[in-house]
Amino acid sequence: MTTLLLACLPMPPHMDAPQADAPEAESADEAWDRSLDTSDVVHDVIVIGGGPAGLATAAELDHGLLLEAESPVGGRIKWASGPELMLVGTIEQVLHGYNDSPEAAAKNWATVQGDAPSELTWRFLEESAEVRNRLLGLGLSFERLSRTPTSVVPRQHHIAESGWDFVAAIASEIDIEIRTDTWVEDLVIEDGAVRGVMVDGELIRARRVVIATGGVISDPDLLDELGYAPEQFSVEIGGDEFNWIAHDWALDHDLAESQLDAIGWHPGHAAYEDGPRRLEANDGSAIWVDEHGERFFNEVRSTSVEAGGAILRRDVTGIVSCEETLEPMLFKDAGYLEQFETVDDLAEAHDFDAESLRQSLADVRDHHHNGGMDSTGRSIWPSEMMLPLCTFEPGFTASKAYGGIDVDDQGRVLDVTGTPVQGLYAVGEAAGMGQPGLGGWYGFDGSMSAVVWSGWRVGADLAAR
Ligand SMILES: Cc1cc2nc3c(=O)[nH]c(=O)nc-3n(C[C@H](O)[C@H](O)[C@H](O)COP(=O)(O)OP(=O)(O)OC[C@H]3O[C@@H](n4cnc5c(N)ncnc54)[C@H](O)[C@@H]3O)c2cc1C
């Protein structure tokens, strides 16, 4: 469709696209502006997508238009009850007696991710306390801190208000026009530069376009290509707003993408009949066993592709102490948990070797009481597996993507040759949290801080032009 449309469009003035590392990128951008026939440019900036990233971008702009497919705006986080954000070096941490710093976070990062943080990740770590200040200035508050199994100090800042309040606070700073119920069909790119977007078969011209359409997690075909078996997963859904349009656009327009298989998975049983809800199990509260009843997998490292590989290879059963389950009645009543009073009953019902199962539980008990490593290499303290035990079928929930469209440090989209597409930007999850690699391969819980930060950062740069 794009090719046909492009054939009908007037050719733009010729201009050599700047290289990714061109020192004069800024002035090339300005030259592009000057070269445009401004009579047919309708908008300075079009932001596609009104999730937290798009809203944050729009909040910085004096002129422009935000187009959102759904109504109301808010993206995926509007479903969350109390969103958590990963922040470093905040007053809340000090008040709780923790010393934290970008250096400490970077060290922790390197241990978990296996490589040193990129320059942009460093910048994010250094600026995350400013993200905290701005959110509080918008009337939000933090009710508690928590720690992920792999971090040495608590960095997850839980917002006291709802996901909806969170996006409403970010949106409260927006002055530009927002059009909801508006699905953007395509980008229009000519000669290495964006010219606008297609809506209802019509071209809306813009000098710059920001892709803020969210991550690539809900595309069953893509998951299949990446080696997942979609039918084995309950891919996270929460309404029709889940889509993978950024990936389609990348393929259609030769945009570079990376780390697509770095997908955050939440193991546990997800239930979405009446809205998003999930039984989380990667916090040490549940163990997984294979078809013999043996532990085979480090559940704590289950937030990335490693988990997908594991579940494809085996039949997996999740086991949790019924009493420790966050919402036991809800999940039991809904039939997602099956309760057993003895280990033998559980083994018999699941056709496990009872001795293997007993050993698995002993492994967890030892680890719980004595620390060190368990048989899967897990080093955090798991919950003690107490009777009665409940089993669940681990369904995976694809919660977020840490890869996506490649952008440079200014958020400019790169094509497959590494050249920035003039005027085209990507923020938030569409760009793997602001830049593929920023979330790493295992990602981090609370990546919303990076999502919002990338929007504010790119929006401020655009406004400054
Ligand atoms: C229940 C739940 C709880 C979560 N909790 C947390 C948490 O506590 N902490 C955390 O860090 N993360 C959490 N996440 C993940 C977080 O929501 C996402 O990482 C974040 O929303 C990504 O923001 P985004 O703006 O990049 O994309 P999205 O939120 O996906 O927003 C993209 C927007 O673009 C719109 N759009 C897409 N395509 C088009 C198009 N073609 N035309 C027009 N509009 C389009 C969509 O309708 C959507 O509104 C949670 C997710 C869910 C579902």
Side-chain angles (χ1 to χ4, degrees), residues 338-359:
E338 212 182 335
Q339 180 163 330
F340 298 95
E341 302 304 322
T342 72
V343 174
D344 286 329
D345 287 349
L346 195 163
E348 193 183 334
H350 284 271
D351 207 15
F352 294 151
D353 180 282
E355 198 42 42
S356 301
L357 179 60
R358 247 184 265 287
Q359 278 188 10

Side-chain angles (χ1 to χ4, degrees), residues 61-120:
L61 302 174
D62 299 321
H63 306 282
L65 173 67
L66 186 149
L67 302 174
E68 164 57 47
E70 299 278 315
S71 180
V73 294
R76 244 177 298 151
I77 197 63
K78 66 175 178 280
W79 292 101
S81 46
E84 53 172 304
L85 275 78
M86 197 276 251
L87 300 167
V88 174
T90 64
I91 292 165
E92 285 72 22
Q93 289 175 309
V94 175
L95 290 176
H96 284 83
Y98 295 103
N99 266 329
D100 196 16
S101 64
E103 288 73 21
K107 202 170 153 199
N108 200 182
W109 177 278
T111 316
V112 176
Q113 306 286 349
D115 51 19
S118 69
E119 214 172 288
L120 197 78

Side-chain angles (χ1 to χ4, degrees), residues 49 52-53 68-69 75-76 84 183-184 214 236 243 400 429 446-448:
E68 164 57 47
R76 244 177 298 151
E84 53 172 304
W183 173 253
V184 174
E236 182 157 293
N243 59 69
K400 52 182 89 165
E429 229 183 281
S447 46
M448 185 77 57

